[in-house]
């Protein structure tokens, strides 16, 4: 085992020594704090960059589908079809073009996020009442100003709901990046499985869950900050 090398404490054997291999081990968090922090930071970076790239790609695709109804089924079909490709196959397919790098993981995760983000943005824009749109046009709003000032703010609740799902999904999928050695906490999970290091496996998996919950809460708080007018309606 690559990580079962820590010496036993003075008071007795460690909970992850050669003699014991417990799932929950507080001493592991202490002794491997730097490894856990580095893996968590990498996991957050990969998740955030992938989701942002997904949004950057999904937004124009959603606008294209809305502007040209004939292309809607094609756009949604392609974005949804990507998700049917197993992650164990998608990342190796990208390696010849991007190498064993973080870019491989980021591109793969962004493509998977399109399944949720394109549909969420499209449905969010469509949720804007027609009368609101007509009133804005009557006040002299052009297409660009209408989109930025009226449609996007009103579509935010639906878009943010999709963003939450995409983010939590990406946190889970990031672990697959361990295939190319850039999986954040997934690297520790892979090592824990390979070496039967239970404390490492449990700690990394638990941190993935905590990270997903934390990012979900942050997005909810961001939505509340960006849409203050919805607070009164909810109350």
């Amino acid at each position: 085992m690559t990580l079962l090398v820590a010496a036993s404490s003075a008071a007795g054997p460690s909970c992850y020594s050669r003699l014991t291999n417990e799932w929950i081990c507080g001493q592991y968090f202490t002794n491997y704090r730097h490894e856990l922090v580095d893996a968590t930071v990498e996991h957050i970076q990969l998740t955030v960059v992938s989701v942002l790239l997904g949004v950057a790609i999904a937004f124009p695709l959603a606008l294209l589908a809305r502007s040209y109804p004939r292309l809607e089924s094609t756009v949604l079909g392609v974005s949804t079809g990507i998700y049917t490709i197993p992650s164990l196959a998608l990342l190796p397919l990208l390696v010849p073009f991007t190498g064993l790098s973080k870019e491989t993981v980021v591109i793969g995760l962004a493509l998977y996020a399109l399944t949720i983000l394109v549909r969420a943005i499209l449905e969010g824009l469509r949720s804007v009442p027609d009368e609101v749109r007509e009133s804005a046009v009557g006040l002299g709003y052009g297409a660009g100003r209408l989109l930025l000032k009226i449609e996007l703010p009103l579509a935010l609740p639906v878009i943010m709901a999709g963003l939450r799902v995409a983010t939590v999904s990406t946190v889970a999928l990031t672990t697959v990046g361990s295939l190319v050695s850039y999986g954040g906490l997934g690297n520790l999970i892979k090592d824990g499985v390979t070496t039967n290091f239970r404390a490492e496996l449990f700690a990394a998996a638990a941190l993935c869950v905590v990270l997903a919950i934390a990012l979900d809460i942050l997005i909810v708080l961001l939505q509340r900050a960006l849409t203050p007018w919805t607070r009164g309606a909810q109350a």
Side-chain angles (χ1 to χ4, degrees), residues 27-91:
Q27 190 175 358
Y28 171 79
F29 285 91
T30 301
N31 294 346
Y32 289 88
R33 181 178 65 256
H34 295 298
E35 288 82 351
L36 289 171
V37 170
D38 290 343
T40 302
V41 170
E42 182 181 76
H43 206 107
I44 294 173
Q45 290 174 342
L46 290 171
T47 299
V48 172
V49 174
S50 299
V51 172
L52 291 178
L53 178 59
V55 171
I57 299 173
F59 187 70
L61 288 177
L63 292 180
L64 180 66
R66 188 184 68 156
S67 301
Y68 302 95
R70 291 183 179 180
L71 296 178
E72 179 181 343
S73 59
T74 301
V75 171
L76 293 179
V78 171
S79 62
T80 303
I82 294 174
Y83 207 83
T84 63
I85 304 175
S87 55
L88 294 178
L90 180 60
L91 294 186

Side-chain angles (χ1 to χ4, degrees), residues 27-192:
Q27 190 175 358
Y28 171 79
F29 285 91
T30 301
N31 294 346
Y32 289 88
R33 181 178 65 256
H34 295 298
E35 288 82 351
L36 289 171
V37 170
D38 290 343
T40 302
V41 170
E42 182 181 76
H43 206 107
I44 294 173
Q45 290 174 342
L46 290 171
T47 299
V48 172
V49 174
S50 299
V51 172
L52 291 178
L53 178 59
V55 171
I57 299 173
F59 187 70
L61 288 177
L63 292 180
L64 180 66
R66 188 184 68 156
S67 301
Y68 302 95
R70 291 183 179 180
L71 296 178
E72 179 181 343
S73 59
T74 301
V75 171
L76 293 179
V78 171
S79 62
T80 303
I82 294 174
Y83 207 83
T84 63
I85 304 175
S87 55
L88 294 178
L90 180 60
L91 294 186
L93 288 174
L94 294 174
V95 168
F97 305 98
T98 55
L100 297 175
S101 63
K102 289 184 178 181
E103 287 74 18
T104 300
V105 181
V106 169
I107 293 173
L109 295 177
L111 291 175
Y112 279 133
L114 293 180
T115 301
I116 301 169
L117 293 174
V118 172
R119 193 175 297 274
I121 295 173
L122 184 59
E123 293 301 321
L125 293 174
R126 285 179 172 171
S127 68
V128 179
D130 291 334
E131 55 269 22
V132 173
R133 237 185 242 105
E134 293 171 0
S135 298
V137 172
L139 291 173
Y141 280 70
R145 190 181 174 199
L146 174 65
L147 175 64
L148 296 176
K149 297 292 186 178
I150 304 297
E151 293 180 314
L152 274 182
L154 294 179
L156 270 181
V158 177
I159 295 175
M160 296 299 276
L163 183 63
R164 291 174 61 187
V165 176
T167 301
V168 172
S169 175
T170 302
V171 170
L173 286 171
T174 298
T175 58
V176 183
S178 60
L179 287 172
V180 293
S181 300
Y182 291 99
L185 293 167
N187 293 336
L188 300 184
I189 292 175
K190 179 182 178 181
D191 186 73

